[in-house]
């Protein structure tokens, strides 16, 4: 009888702790993949388009007339923080004057409560600084693949130094990429 009085409360406690732990840490996310395949605004290896002009005496290469298109103004490779991450992040100037951030070939761990932040801090800063003074672009769309995030019109892009994948639940950075403009 004494043993039962101890086992029932201990069992209930263990079930509650297990339930809370599963909710907070979501360990199955280590085995899941959320893949995205959005069309990138600027291909990762985009170069200027040229046209070859030939006359009787010379051949010259001149820039081809190009309609106003999206242009990469800053880019960097991901630096892993809490989780191994690879791929490229780019700051893109859009034809109408707006901006967006695109991730090409992103590969990171899936996790609970992941967001994309624009940070005024350089990518070499300590991890905890990325949780301060940021602009949130919303939830991370997927942990693998290509994706594009529109930057709200009121954001001063001249202050952006990096983009961060941030886990809000645990206040931890998954990865950071530099976006410093020339």
């Amino acid at each position: 009888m004494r043993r039962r009085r101890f086992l029932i409360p201990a069992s209930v406690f263990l079930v509650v702790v297990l339930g809370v732990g599963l909710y907070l840490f979501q360990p199955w996310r280590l085995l899941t993949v959320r893949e995205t395949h959005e069309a990138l605004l600027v291909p990762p290896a985009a170069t200027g388009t040229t046209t070859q002009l030939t006359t009787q005496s010379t051949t010259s290469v001149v820039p081809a007339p190009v309609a106003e298109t999206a242009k990469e103004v800053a880019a960097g490779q991901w630096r892993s923080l809490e989780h191994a991450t690879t791929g490229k992040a780019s700051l893109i100037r859009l034809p109408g004057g707006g901006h967006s951030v695109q991730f090409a070939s992103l590969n990171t761990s899936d996790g609970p409560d992941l967001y994309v932040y624009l940070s005024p801090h350089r990518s070499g800063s300590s991890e905890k600084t990325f949780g301060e003074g940021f602009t949130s672009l919303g939830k991370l769309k997927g942990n693998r693949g290509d994706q594009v995030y529109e930057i709200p019109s009121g954001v001063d892009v001249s202050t952006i130094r990096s983009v961060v994948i941030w886990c809000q639940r645990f206040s931890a950075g998954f990865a950071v990429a530099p976006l410093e403009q020339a």
Side-chain angles (χ1 to χ4, degrees):
M1 191 67 129
R2 277 186 172 169
R3 197 173 200 186
R4 186 182 280 181
R5 281 189 218 167
F6 173 73
L7 285 178
I8 291 174
S11 297
V12 168
F13 176 76
L14 287 175
V15 167
V16 168
V17 167
L18 180 64
V20 169
L22 287 173
Y23 171 76
L24 288 177
F25 292 98
Q26 299 178 357
W28 57 89
R29 293 268 189 168
L30 293 173
L31 306 172
T32 60
V33 172
R34 292 179 301 131
E35 203 159 322
T36 57
H37 298 286
E38 292 185 331
L40 297 179
L41 302 171
V42 176
T47 59
T49 305
T50 60
T51 301
Q52 188 170 359
L53 298 177
T54 305
T55 63
Q56 289 182 359
S57 61
T58 63
T59 299
S60 61
V61 176
V62 296
V66 178
E68 188 176 357
T69 60
K71 181 181 179 189
E72 182 180 89
V73 293
Q77 298 295 317
W78 288 103
R79 178 174 66 92
S80 301
L81 296 172
E82 296 288 333
H83 293 265
T85 304
T86 59
K88 179 182 176 184
S90 302
L91 177 62
I92 307 296
R93 184 174 50 239
L94 303 173
H99 290 84
S100 67
V101 173
Q102 74 179 21
F103 302 161
S105 303
L106 175 68
N107 187 1
T108 190
S109 302
D110 198 4
D113 216 18
L114 296 181
Y115 282 79
V116 176
Y117 288 174
L118 296 177
S119 175
H121 306 289
R122 297 192 185 284
S123 64
S125 302
S126 71
E127 179 182 339
K128 292 300 176 189
T129 61
F130 297 122
E132 304 166 357
F134 60 85
T135 299
S136 178
L137 298 182
K139 283 192 167 270
L140 183 69
K141 296 174 184 178
N143 64 310
R144 290 196 184 152
D146 301 331
Q147 45 203 282
V148 178
Y149 297 87
E150 185 178 331
I151 298 176
S153 61
V155 174
D156 180 6
V157 294
S158 68
T159 64
I160 297 171
R161 300 286 176 262
S162 59
V163 60
V164 183
I165 298 174
W166 187 262
C167 177
Q168 283 189 349
R169 182 168 296 159
F170 295 107
S171 293
F174 269 44
V176 60
L179 289 181
E180 297 188 39
Q181 302 175 50

